[in-house]
Structure formats: C-alpha cells, structure tokens
Amino acid sequence: MNSPKKILCIGAGYVGTPTMAVIARHCPQHKITVVDINAERSAQWNSDTLPSYEPGLDEIVKAVRGKNLFFTTDVPPAIREADIIFVSVNTPTKQFGAGAGMAADLQYWERTARQILEHSKSPKIIVEKSTLPVKTAQAMERILDAAAAPIRFDVLSNPEFLAEGTAIEDLEHPDRVLIGSQETIEGLAARDQLVALYENWVPRDRIITSNIWSSELSKLVANAFLAQRISSINAVSALCEKTGADISEVALAVGTDHRVGRYFLNASVGFGGSCFKKDILNLVYICRHYGLHEAADYWNGVLKINDYQTERFVLNMLGAMHNTLADKQIALFGFAFKANTGDTRESPAILVARRLLDEKACVAITDPKALDNARKDLAGLSGRIRYEEDPYAAAAGADAIAVLTEWDLYRGLDYAKIFAAMNKPAFVFDGRNILDHHALHRLGFNVYAIGKSPLSSFA
Ligand code: NAD
Ligand code: UGA
C-alpha cells in the first residue's frame, strides 16, 4: 500500500500514539492524524512535554510531528478524509450493570463506531486496535451497516502486543503483527491493504493473518498466557520460601527447557498494568457467558494467585517486623507497575501502600517517573505519606525499604550510605529480586526476597 493514504487513529493513548508515530516514521507517503476527545492530552502531544514517558517516543514524535503526523481534537473532518481508521480507545473493565467488575466496558468503543457512521462519506477500512471481546467486530459491522446511504466499511482486527517501557522497540521489531479479517473477497482485500502498510518495515513472515474471531481471541489469550506464567512462578515462590529452594534457581532450571522458555519467569510482588487483569476478567466473563465454568475458574485462578502474592508480600513484612508496623517508616522504592514507565495503573504498589497505611505505618514513596500518578492514586487516603524524588531521602530514617518496581537505578545505589541513615534494625523487602541480597546482608540489613530464604537475624 504505497499510494498516499490518509490514516486516522481514534485515541491518542499509550497504544495509539506510539503506533501511529512508528507508522509515520516508516511511511512518509501517508498522512497520519491522531484524534482524542481529551483536549488536554491532545495539546500535550502537540507540545514539548509529551503526556506519557516511553523510551524513544519523544524523538520519533518530534521528528514526524507536523510532517506526516498530526494531533487534533477535531473528529468530523478527520473521519471524513480517512481511508483507514484505527480505533485505539480505552476498553476498561465495566463498573456498572450486567457484567460489572468483569466484562469490557464498550461505551467508548461504540461511540467511535457511531461517530464513524455519522461523519463518513466514502468507503473506509476500520481497524480494531483496542483489545476487545471476541465477536466485537460483528457489533461494529452492525452499527456501520446502519448507514442511510450505503457506504462500504471493512472491519479488521489488528490487536497490539506492545508492552509499556519497550513500546517503540516492540513496534519497530514485533514478534508478529496479527491481522484478522472476514474471509470474503472484500475482507481479504482490506486485509491485504493493512498487510502492505506493515510491510513498509515488518518482514512478511512476521505478519500473521487469520479469521477475525481468532485474532480478537488471540489478544486476550496472549495476555492470559503471559500473566499465567507470572502467577505460576509466584505460586512456586511461596513454596520456595517454605522449603529452602531458591526461586531464581528453580526458574532457571525450568526455563532452560526450550519448550518452557526463560522469559516471564521473574517472581515478583505481583503483576500490574492496565491490561492483564482486565483482559483476564474479560476472558473469564466470556467463558462464563458460554457456560464454560471450569475454563473460567482456571483463568480466574491466575488473578487469585496475583492478589495472594501481593497480600503475602505485605504479611511477610508484617511478620518479619515483629507483627507491628504502627509508626514504622517504610520507604517504597518504585511505584510504577514496571520499570521504564510512569504508568501506575493496577500497580501492586497501590495495594502495598494501602495495606501499609492500614497497618498505621508511615510511607515514603520514591519513583523516577511515577510520583505524579502515585499522588493521584493515593489521594484522599488517610495516613502519613511522603513523596520523595530522591531515594536516599525516602530511606533516611526508615525502618524498611520495599522494592516494588525493578528500576535499574535501585541496583546502583550506595546501600552502605542508606543503611547508615536508617533506623535499626534495618530491613529490605525486595519485591522484584533485583538487589544483591548477600551484599546487603553483609552491610547489616535483614533481607527478605521473593521465593528465597531470608538473610536475617530474625528469621
Ligand atoms: P488510554 O486510556 O491510554 O488511551 C485511550 C484514549 O482514547 C484516551 O486518551 C481517550 O481520551 C481516548 N478516547 C476515548 N474515546 C474516544 C473517542 N470517542 N474519540 C476520541 N478519543 C477517544 O488507553 P491505552 O492504554 O492506549 O489502551 C487502548 C487500548 O489498547 C485498550 O483496549 C487496551 O487494552 C489496548 N492495549 C493497551 C496496551 C498498553 O500497553 N497500554 C497494550 C496493548 C493493547
Ligand atoms: C503486557 C504484555 O506484555 C503486552 O504484550 C500487551 O500488549 C500489554 O500487556 C497489553 O495488552 O496492555 P505490559 O502490561 O505493558 O504489557 O507490561 P509487561 O512487561 O507484560 O508487565 C506486566 C506486569 O508483569 C508488570 O507489573 C511486570 O513487572 C510484571 N512481570 C513481568 C513480572 O512480575 N514478572 C515477569 O517475569 C514479567
């Protein structure tokens, strides 16, 4: 697809903007517009300070913005002129009515379908980029088929597999691009246009095509599989702590079997992020909808283990610190749900902070990118919370450090200096297993890691 096209993306979020920026970089022949109803967010994408931190994104946006990448809030003309429309709006868990707490909330999605219908005057390819329940394309087609003057719309599914913190790398060199279409002559022709767009930088053998329902379902299942690996290793970490086995050694021994693979076996305080939980809840809901209760229970177990792991982390802190945290100072190293992002959606740090405040501990939070979001997440909570840019300031006078995000920065700190400034006995709870536990123990810390025997005078 190399003749110049007009491409529109509805939704300038964590997915929409990086994806469009990478397309713009590789396809100078196409004009790409990103619209968002959030005027503030749109203005930030047009400014020097972008609304979210993502390594490499600044450079790309600044290189292509105003050339072939444009941000606007003016939806109608953008829809009118587009040949291809990516829909990348949020699809959070529904909080009301039938399916509350489980199903996907499709109100933003449906609104875009109606906007497309209202403003379109020419045929368009509509690309589902948001993560959606299987069969959503059918609902989209039904809405679009309601046009008074018949206009041809072809709906494709093209779920996104990027991870935050590595979004640009993932988009530049994807393991695969998945494109699902109706298996009609028109559906396959639309699919071929999208394949051609990606071929501008993705090798053809990495572009997978499938029927549209497989594509929609594969996205939910991909996230469920990834989360399941983390819950599996986290469940084993609990057993390691009881038996003297070491979770890093077990993960290595298991993961070096190429059939298992070594990725995504880092035991942790629990997984977070905007998607794993919501997508598994959605999968569980769909299974229940079809009466597949055993399958639903199986996937729900992944979420139950995740909650258990975070709660276990807090209870381990409580137990290690003589069963009371009242008035103790705890420095939380990291608040983002993972390193290299300021995003705190569903971060295990939120639950840990809340639980520590329930125990009447004082909490000092430090994070290189997520302090603004942390302030919003904890707004209105009663208790003593400090926010510190500097990890040394967060740890000064503290009884314990809890590492909650795997920022590289925390590996390289001067822990002798930190130890000297802490209350004694001083504790480290490494919820990401990133520190040198023996070195910390030699400095005098009581060290508790995930899935390892404590190095502590109190264990
Ligand atoms: P987000 O909340 O960051 O962005 C969505 C944007 O859509 C918001 O800015 C919102 O204002 C805008 N929007 C909503 N309705 C609109 C409308 N009618 N017109 C114009 N703009 C509208 O969400 P996100 O993290 O980018 O996720 C988007 C989708 O991609 C979700 O379905 C998510 O599950 C999926 N996804 C996310 C990630 C990730 O890493 N965040 C990765 C893969 C897939
Ligand atoms: C995840 C998937 O990796 C992406 O493929 C997917 O596109 C995206 O969800 C989505 O649909 O939103 P993301 O949530 O950005 O990406 O980040 P991950 O790297 O998957 O990490 C998720 C959580 O799992 C983080 O809290 C991370 O710290 C945790 N994690 C990850 C572990 O606890 N252990 C691991 O071994 C790996």
Side-chain angles (χ1 to χ4, degrees):
M1 196 190 71
N2 287 320
S3 60
K5 295 271 183 215
K6 297 212 169 61
I7 296 173
L8 170 66
C9 177
I10 302 181
Y14 285 89
V15 168
T17 300
T19 309
M20 292 306 120
V22 169
I23 293 179
R25 165 143 96 182
H26 290 284
C27 308
Q29 69 276 30
H30 302 318
K31 177 187 172 194
I32 292 141
T33 304
V34 190
V35 291
D36 203 294
I37 40 171
N38 181 335
E40 190 189 344
R41 205 170 200 186
S42 208
Q44 285 172 320
W45 287 120
N46 274 322
S47 76
D48 283 340
T49 313
L50 306 187
S52 52
Y53 170 70
E54 186 62 49
L57 180 61
D58 248 59
E59 293 79 349
I60 303 189
V61 167
K62 287 174 186 167
V64 289
R65 193 173 58 189
K67 294 189 178 127
N68 66 331
L69 179 68
F70 302 89
F71 294 96
T72 175
T73 51
D74 199 358
V75 177
I79 290 178
R80 262 195 309 275
E81 71 169 24
D83 301 302
I84 300 180
I85 302 180
F86 286 81
V87 182
S88 186
V89 298
N90 36 327
T91 50
T93 303
K94 198 176 171 196
Q95 300 299 342
F96 54 87
M102 300 214 60
D105 182 348
L106 296 176
Q107 59 173 307
Y108 308 100
W109 170 257
E110 176 165 333
R111 207 167 299 152
T112 61
R114 292 182 189 282
Q115 282 175 311
I116 292 169
L117 181 63
E118 185 184 346
H119 301 296
S120 291
K121 303 258 183 288
S122 56
K124 298 181 195 307
I125 294 174
I126 313 299
V127 184
E128 297 179 341
K129 189 45 104 175
S130 299
T131 302
L132 295 159
V134 58
K135 290 283 182 189
T136 304
Q138 197 170 51
M140 179 64 116
E141 281 170 349
R142 281 186 186 144
I143 295 170
L144 296 174
D145 280 350
I151 299 173
R152 170 124 212 115
F153 293 104
D154 286 293
V155 180
L156 300 174
S157 161
N158 172 220
E160 185 48 60
F161 296 103
L162 67 78
E164 288 178 34
T166 54
I168 300 302
E169 176 61 21
D170 296 341
L171 288 163
E172 289 282 354
H173 306 287
D175 286 347
R176 79 304 208 187
V177 166
L178 177 59
I179 302 174
S181 65
Q182 297 287 14
E183 288 165 315
T184 57
I185 291 170
E186 296 84 356
L188 295 176
R191 179 197 75 185
D192 290 346
Q193 287 205 48
L194 195 57
V195 169
L197 176 68
Y198 279 105
E199 273 186 309
N200 279 289
W201 78 99
V202 180
R204 182 62 185 86
D205 61 0
R206 294 206 170 196
I207 304 174
I208 303 174
T209 55
S210 73
N211 86 38
I212 198 159
W213 319 128
S214 306
S215 174
E216 288 180 333
L217 184 58
S218 297
K219 172 61 197 179
L220 295 182
V221 173
N223 273 356
F225 266 56
L226 291 169
Q228 178 216 44
R229 282 175 74 89
I230 303 168
S231 280
S232 295
I233 203 73
N234 281 345
V236 175
S237 76
L239 187 56
C240 286
E241 286 165 33
K242 298 285 182 206
T243 56
D246 181 311
I247 195 64
S248 304
E249 294 174 353
V250 174
L252 181 70
V254 173
T256 42
D257 184 328
H258 72 275
R259 295 169 301 175
V260 177
R262 64 196 164 87
Y263 294 105
F264 263 66
L265 289 180
N266 294 324
S268 68
V269 57
F271 61 73
S274 60
C275 294
F276 279 177
K277 184 173 172 185
K278 94 170 160 66
D279 292 348
I280 293 176
L281 284 170
N282 192 355
L283 186 61
V284 169
Y285 183 74
I286 294 168
C287 290
R288 294 219 188 283
H289 170 81
Y290 289 106
L292 306 172
H293 296 292
E294 286 76 5
D297 291 345
Y298 174 76
W299 289 112
N300 201 40
V302 172
L303 295 177
K304 278 165 83 176
I305 289 290
N306 199 48
D307 290 343
Y308 161 77
Q309 184 75 348
T310 312
E311 180 66 13
R312 216 170 61 73
F313 183 77
V314 175
L315 293 180
N316 278 350
M317 290 178 80
L318 183 63
M321 296 176 79
H322 322 299
N323 291 313
T324 175
L325 298 177
D327 294 328
K328 288 188 175 144
Q329 292 201 40
I330 318 255
L332 303 189
F333 277 19
F335 205 83
F337 81 95
K338 63 185 281 194
N340 298 318
T341 176
D343 194 349
T344 58
R345 291 179 288 178
E346 299 293 338
S347 176
I350 299 174
L351 186 64
V352 171
R354 282 175 178 271
R355 293 285 288 105
L356 295 177
L357 292 169
D358 289 346
E359 294 291 338
K360 307 227 174 299
C362 316
V363 175
I365 297 169
T366 184
D367 189 290
K369 295 286 176 198
L371 282 191
D372 287 346
N373 281 332
R375 282 191 188 89
K376 288 180 204 150
D377 293 331
L378 302 181
L381 286 190
S382 56
R384 288 158 293 175
I385 313 174
R386 266 172 37 232
Y387 299 91
E388 300 281 0
E389 296 285 340
D390 176 13
Y392 292 98
D399 297 277
I401 295 168
V403 179
L404 300 183
T405 311
E406 66 277 29
W407 287 103
D408 266 344
L409 144 82
Y410 300 138
R411 297 177 212 264
L413 299 177
D414 179 346
Y415 283 95
K417 180 174 154 187
I418 287 175
F419 182 75
M422 287 177 67
N423 277 342
K424 309 296 178 315
F427 292 80
V428 168
F429 299 92
D430 187 353
R432 296 293 184 165
N433 286 353
I434 57 167
L435 302 183
D436 181 340
H437 302 139
H438 287 281
L440 290 175
H441 187 51
R442 283 194 296 275
L443 289 173
F445 281 104
N446 297 289
V447 185
Y448 293 75
I450 304 277
K452 292 169 189 274
S453 299
L455 301 170
S456 165
S457 2
F458 305 111

Short mmCIF file of all heavy atoms in Angstrom, two decimals, residues 61-100:
data_model
loop_
_atom_site.label_atom_id
_atom_site.label_comp_id
_atom_site.label_asym_id
_atom_site.label_seq_id
_atom_site.Cartn_x
_atom_site.Cartn_y
_atom_site.Cartn_z
N VAL A 61 8.26 11.22 17.86
CA VAL A 61 7.15 12.17 17.71
C VAL A 61 7.68 13.51 17.23
O VAL A 61 7.12 14.12 16.29
CB VAL A 61 6.38 12.33 19.05
CG1 VAL A 61 5.44 13.52 19.00
CG2 VAL A 61 5.59 11.06 19.36
N LYS A 62 8.78 13.95 17.82
CA LYS A 62 9.29 15.27 17.43
C LYS A 62 9.84 15.26 15.99
O LYS A 62 9.83 16.28 15.32
CB LYS A 62 10.32 15.76 18.45
CG LYS A 62 9.58 16.18 19.74
CD LYS A 62 10.46 16.55 20.89
CE LYS A 62 9.58 16.80 22.13
NZ LYS A 62 10.33 16.86 23.37
N ALA A 63 10.27 14.09 15.52
CA ALA A 63 10.80 14.02 14.15
C ALA A 63 9.68 14.05 13.09
O ALA A 63 9.87 14.58 12.00
CB ALA A 63 11.64 12.76 13.98
N VAL A 64 8.53 13.47 13.41
CA VAL A 64 7.49 13.35 12.36
C VAL A 64 6.29 14.28 12.55
O VAL A 64 5.53 14.52 11.62
CB VAL A 64 6.98 11.88 12.25
CG1 VAL A 64 8.03 10.98 11.66
CG2 VAL A 64 6.50 11.35 13.60
N ARG A 65 6.17 14.83 13.78
CA ARG A 65 5.03 15.71 14.06
C ARG A 65 5.08 16.93 13.15
O ARG A 65 6.12 17.54 12.97
CB ARG A 65 5.08 16.13 15.53
CG ARG A 65 3.83 16.76 16.03
CD ARG A 65 3.93 16.99 17.52
NE ARG A 65 5.04 17.83 17.90
CZ ARG A 65 5.45 18.05 19.15
NH1 ARG A 65 4.82 17.44 20.15
NH2 ARG A 65 6.46 18.83 19.41
N GLY A 66 3.91 17.27 12.57
CA GLY A 66 3.85 18.43 11.67
C GLY A 66 4.30 18.10 10.26
O GLY A 66 4.10 18.89 9.34
N LYS A 67 4.92 16.91 10.07
CA LYS A 67 5.30 16.49 8.71
C LYS A 67 4.21 15.56 8.19
O LYS A 67 3.45 15.92 7.29
CB LYS A 67 6.66 15.80 8.71
CG LYS A 67 7.80 16.75 9.08
CD LYS A 67 9.15 16.10 8.85
CE LYS A 67 10.25 17.10 9.20
NZ LYS A 67 11.21 16.55 10.14
N ASN A 68 4.15 14.35 8.76
CA ASN A 68 3.06 13.47 8.35
C ASN A 68 2.32 12.87 9.56
O ASN A 68 1.58 11.91 9.43
CB ASN A 68 3.56 12.35 7.41
CG ASN A 68 4.51 11.38 8.10
OD1 ASN A 68 5.20 11.74 9.05
ND2 ASN A 68 4.55 10.16 7.61
N LEU A 69 2.56 13.44 10.74
CA LEU A 69 1.82 13.02 11.94
C LEU A 69 1.21 14.26 12.59
O LEU A 69 1.92 15.23 12.86
CB LEU A 69 2.76 12.33 12.94
CG LEU A 69 2.10 11.88 14.25
CD1 LEU A 69 1.13 10.72 13.99
CD2 LEU A 69 3.16 11.43 15.27
N PHE A 70 -0.12 14.20 12.81
CA PHE A 70 -0.83 15.38 13.32
C PHE A 70 -1.75 14.95 14.47
O PHE A 70 -2.38 13.89 14.41
CB PHE A 70 -1.67 16.02 12.20
CG PHE A 70 -0.83 16.41 11.02
CD1 PHE A 70 -0.59 15.49 9.99
CD2 PHE A 70 -0.21 17.65 10.95
CE1 PHE A 70 0.23 15.82 8.91
CE2 PHE A 70 0.60 18.00 9.88
CZ PHE A 70 0.82 17.09 8.86
N PHE A 71 -1.81 15.79 15.50
CA PHE A 71 -2.71 15.54 16.64
C PHE A 71 -3.80 16.60 16.63
O PHE A 71 -3.51 17.79 16.48
CB PHE A 71 -1.93 15.62 17.96
CG PHE A 71 -0.91 14.54 18.10
CD1 PHE A 71 0.42 14.78 17.76
CD2 PHE A 71 -1.26 13.27 18.55
CE1 PHE A 71 1.38 13.78 17.87
CE2 PHE A 71 -0.31 12.27 18.66
CZ PHE A 71 1.02 12.53 18.32
N THR A 72 -5.05 16.18 16.82
CA THR A 72 -6.16 17.13 16.81
C THR A 72 -7.30 16.60 17.67
O THR A 72 -7.33 15.41 18.03
CB THR A 72 -6.65 17.37 15.35
OG1 THR A 72 -7.79 18.21 15.38
CG2 THR A 72 -7.02 16.08 14.66
N THR A 73 -8.24 17.49 17.97
CA THR A 73 -9.47 17.05 18.65
C THR A 73 -10.66 17.15 17.71
O THR A 73 -11.79 16.86 18.09
CB THR A 73 -9.75 17.94 19.89
OG1 THR A 73 -9.69 19.30 19.47
CG2 THR A 73 -8.76 17.68 21.00
N ASP A 74 -10.39 17.58 16.49
CA ASP A 74 -11.49 17.83 15.54
C ASP A 74 -11.83 16.53 14.81
O ASP A 74 -11.26 16.20 13.75
CB ASP A 74 -11.04 18.93 14.57
CG ASP A 74 -12.23 19.56 13.87
OD1 ASP A 74 -13.36 19.11 14.13
OD2 ASP A 74 -12.01 20.49 13.07
N VAL A 75 -12.78 15.79 15.36
CA VAL A 75 -13.06 14.43 14.88
C VAL A 75 -13.73 14.41 13.49
O VAL A 75 -13.28 13.67 12.60
CB VAL A 75 -13.90 13.66 15.92
CG1 VAL A 75 -14.26 12.28 15.42
CG2 VAL A 75 -13.14 13.57 17.25
N PRO A 76 -14.79 15.20 13.23
CA PRO A 76 -15.54 15.00 11.98
C PRO A 76 -14.70 15.10 10.71
O PRO A 76 -14.73 14.16 9.88
CB PRO A 76 -16.62 16.09 12.03
CG PRO A 76 -16.81 16.36 13.48
CD PRO A 76 -15.46 16.19 14.11
N PRO A 77 -13.89 16.18 10.50
CA PRO A 77 -13.13 16.21 9.25
C PRO A 77 -12.10 15.09 9.16
O PRO A 77 -11.82 14.57 8.08
CB PRO A 77 -12.44 17.58 9.27
CG PRO A 77 -12.52 18.07 10.67
CD PRO A 77 -13.66 17.39 11.32
N ALA A 78 -11.56 14.72 10.33
CA ALA A 78 -10.56 13.65 10.34
C ALA A 78 -11.19 12.34 9.86
O ALA A 78 -10.58 11.58 9.10
CB ALA A 78 -9.96 13.50 11.74
N ILE A 79 -12.40 12.08 10.30
CA ILE A 79 -13.09 10.85 9.85
C ILE A 79 -13.42 10.96 8.36
O ILE A 79 -13.20 10.01 7.59
CB ILE A 79 -14.38 10.60 10.68
CG1 ILE A 79 -14.00 10.20 12.11
CG2 ILE A 79 -15.26 9.53 10.02
CD1 ILE A 79 -15.18 9.98 13.03
N ARG A 80 -13.93 12.13 7.97
CA ARG A 80 -14.36 12.30 6.56
C ARG A 80 -13.24 11.98 5.58
O ARG A 80 -13.44 11.30 4.59
CB ARG A 80 -14.87 13.73 6.34
CG ARG A 80 -16.39 13.83 6.40
CD ARG A 80 -16.91 15.11 5.83
NE ARG A 80 -16.27 16.30 6.36
CZ ARG A 80 -16.64 16.91 7.49
NH1 ARG A 80 -17.64 16.43 8.21
NH2 ARG A 80 -16.01 17.99 7.90
N GLU A 81 -12.03 12.47 5.90
CA GLU A 81 -10.97 12.33 4.88
C GLU A 81 -10.22 10.99 4.96
O GLU A 81 -9.47 10.65 4.06
CB GLU A 81 -9.96 13.49 4.99
CG GLU A 81 -9.09 13.43 6.23
CD GLU A 81 -7.92 14.43 6.17
OE1 GLU A 81 -8.01 15.43 5.44
OE2 GLU A 81 -6.91 14.17 6.86
N ALA A 82 -10.48 10.19 6.03
CA ALA A 82 -9.63 9.00 6.24
C ALA A 82 -9.97 7.86 5.29
O ALA A 82 -11.14 7.62 4.96
CB ALA A 82 -9.79 8.53 7.68
N ASP A 83 -8.93 7.14 4.86
CA ASP A 83 -9.12 5.89 4.11
C ASP A 83 -9.13 4.70 5.08
O ASP A 83 -9.86 3.73 4.88
CB ASP A 83 -7.96 5.68 3.12
CG ASP A 83 -7.83 6.83 2.14
OD1 ASP A 83 -8.81 7.09 1.43
OD2 ASP A 83 -6.76 7.48 2.13
N ILE A 84 -8.28 4.80 6.10
CA ILE A 84 -8.16 3.72 7.09
C ILE A 84 -8.29 4.35 8.47
O ILE A 84 -7.64 5.36 8.76
CB ILE A 84 -6.77 3.04 6.99
CG1 ILE A 84 -6.59 2.44 5.59
CG2 ILE A 84 -6.61 1.97 8.06
CD1 ILE A 84 -5.25 1.75 5.40
N ILE A 85 -9.13 3.76 9.32
CA ILE A 85 -9.30 4.31 10.68
C ILE A 85 -8.92 3.23 11.70
O ILE A 85 -9.57 2.18 11.77
CB ILE A 85 -10.75 4.77 10.93
CG1 ILE A 85 -11.17 5.82 9.90
CG2 ILE A 85 -10.91 5.29 12.36
CD1 ILE A 85 -12.60 6.34 10.06
N PHE A 86 -7.89 3.50 12.47
CA PHE A 86 -7.55 2.63 13.60
C PHE A 86 -8.36 3.13 14.80
O PHE A 86 -8.39 4.34 15.06
CB PHE A 86 -6.07 2.75 13.95
CG PHE A 86 -5.15 2.07 12.98
CD1 PHE A 86 -4.79 2.69 11.79
CD2 PHE A 86 -4.64 0.81 13.25
CE1 PHE A 86 -3.93 2.07 10.90
CE2 PHE A 86 -3.78 0.19 12.37
CZ PHE A 86 -3.42 0.80 11.18
N VAL A 87 -8.97 2.22 15.53
CA VAL A 87 -9.69 2.62 16.74
C VAL A 87 -8.89 2.08 17.93
O VAL A 87 -8.75 0.86 18.11
CB VAL A 87 -11.13 2.10 16.75
CG1 VAL A 87 -11.85 2.57 18.01
CG2 VAL A 87 -11.88 2.60 15.52
N SER A 88 -8.36 3.01 18.73
CA SER A 88 -7.47 2.63 19.83
C SER A 88 -7.92 3.31 21.11
O SER A 88 -7.11 3.87 21.84
CB SER A 88 -6.04 3.03 19.45
OG SER A 88 -5.16 2.57 20.42
N VAL A 89 -9.23 3.23 21.35
CA VAL A 89 -9.76 3.86 22.56
C VAL A 89 -9.66 2.89 23.73
O VAL A 89 -9.41 1.70 23.55
CB VAL A 89 -11.23 4.31 22.36
CG1 VAL A 89 -11.32 5.35 21.27
CG2 VAL A 89 -12.13 3.13 22.07
N ASN A 90 -9.85 3.41 24.93
CA ASN A 90 -9.77 2.58 26.13
C ASN A 90 -10.96 1.63 26.22
O ASN A 90 -12.08 1.99 25.84
CB ASN A 90 -9.66 3.46 27.38
CG ASN A 90 -10.47 4.73 27.29
OD1 ASN A 90 -10.63 5.31 26.23
ND2 ASN A 90 -11.01 5.17 28.41
N THR A 91 -10.69 0.43 26.73
CA THR A 91 -11.74 -0.58 26.91
C THR A 91 -11.62 -1.13 28.33
O THR A 91 -11.25 -2.30 28.52
CB THR A 91 -11.57 -1.72 25.88
OG1 THR A 91 -10.20 -2.17 25.92
CG2 THR A 91 -11.90 -1.26 24.48
N PRO A 92 -11.88 -0.30 29.33
CA PRO A 92 -11.65 -0.74 30.72
C PRO A 92 -12.67 -1.78 31.17
O PRO A 92 -13.62 -2.09 30.43
CB PRO A 92 -11.83 0.56 31.52
CG PRO A 92 -12.75 1.40 30.68
CD PRO A 92 -12.47 1.04 29.25
N THR A 93 -12.49 -2.29 32.37
CA THR A 93 -13.48 -3.21 32.93
C THR A 93 -14.73 -2.42 33.29
O THR A 93 -14.66 -1.33 33.86
CB THR A 93 -12.90 -3.89 34.19
OG1 THR A 93 -11.68 -4.54 33.82
CG2 THR A 93 -13.86 -4.92 34.76
N LYS A 94 -15.88 -3.00 32.95
CA LYS A 94 -17.16 -2.33 33.21
C LYS A 94 -17.41 -2.22 34.72
O LYS A 94 -17.17 -3.19 35.44
CB LYS A 94 -18.25 -3.17 32.54
CG LYS A 94 -19.55 -2.46 32.33
CD LYS A 94 -20.52 -3.37 31.56
CE LYS A 94 -21.89 -2.73 31.54
NZ LYS A 94 -22.94 -3.68 31.17
N GLN A 95 -17.85 -1.05 35.15
CA GLN A 95 -18.03 -0.84 36.60
C GLN A 95 -19.49 -0.77 37.01
O GLN A 95 -19.80 -0.43 38.14
CB GLN A 95 -17.32 0.46 37.04
CG GLN A 95 -15.83 0.50 36.78
CD GLN A 95 -15.07 -0.61 37.51
OE1 GLN A 95 -15.57 -1.21 38.46
NE2 GLN A 95 -13.86 -0.90 37.06
N PHE A 96 -20.39 -1.06 36.08
CA PHE A 96 -21.83 -0.90 36.40
C PHE A 96 -22.62 -1.95 35.65
O PHE A 96 -22.14 -2.53 34.67
CB PHE A 96 -22.30 0.51 35.98
CG PHE A 96 -22.00 0.81 34.54
CD1 PHE A 96 -22.89 0.45 33.54
CD2 PHE A 96 -20.79 1.39 34.17
CE1 PHE A 96 -22.59 0.69 32.20
CE2 PHE A 96 -20.48 1.64 32.84
CZ PHE A 96 -21.39 1.29 31.86
N GLY A 97 -23.84 -2.19 36.14
CA GLY A 97 -24.79 -3.03 35.40
C GLY A 97 -24.34 -4.46 35.20
O GLY A 97 -23.50 -4.97 35.94
N ALA A 98 -24.91 -5.10 34.17
CA ALA A 98 -24.59 -6.50 33.90
C ALA A 98 -23.11 -6.65 33.59
O ALA A 98 -22.54 -5.87 32.83
CB ALA A 98 -25.42 -6.99 32.71
N GLY A 99 -22.48 -7.63 34.21
CA GLY A 99 -21.05 -7.87 33.94
C GLY A 99 -20.12 -6.93 34.69
O GLY A 99 -18.91 -6.90 34.42
N ALA A 100 -20.67 -6.13 35.62
CA ALA A 100 -19.83 -5.16 36.36
C ALA A 100 -18.66 -5.90 37.01
O ALA A 100 -18.82 -6.98 37.58
CB ALA A 100 -20.66 -4.47 37.43
#
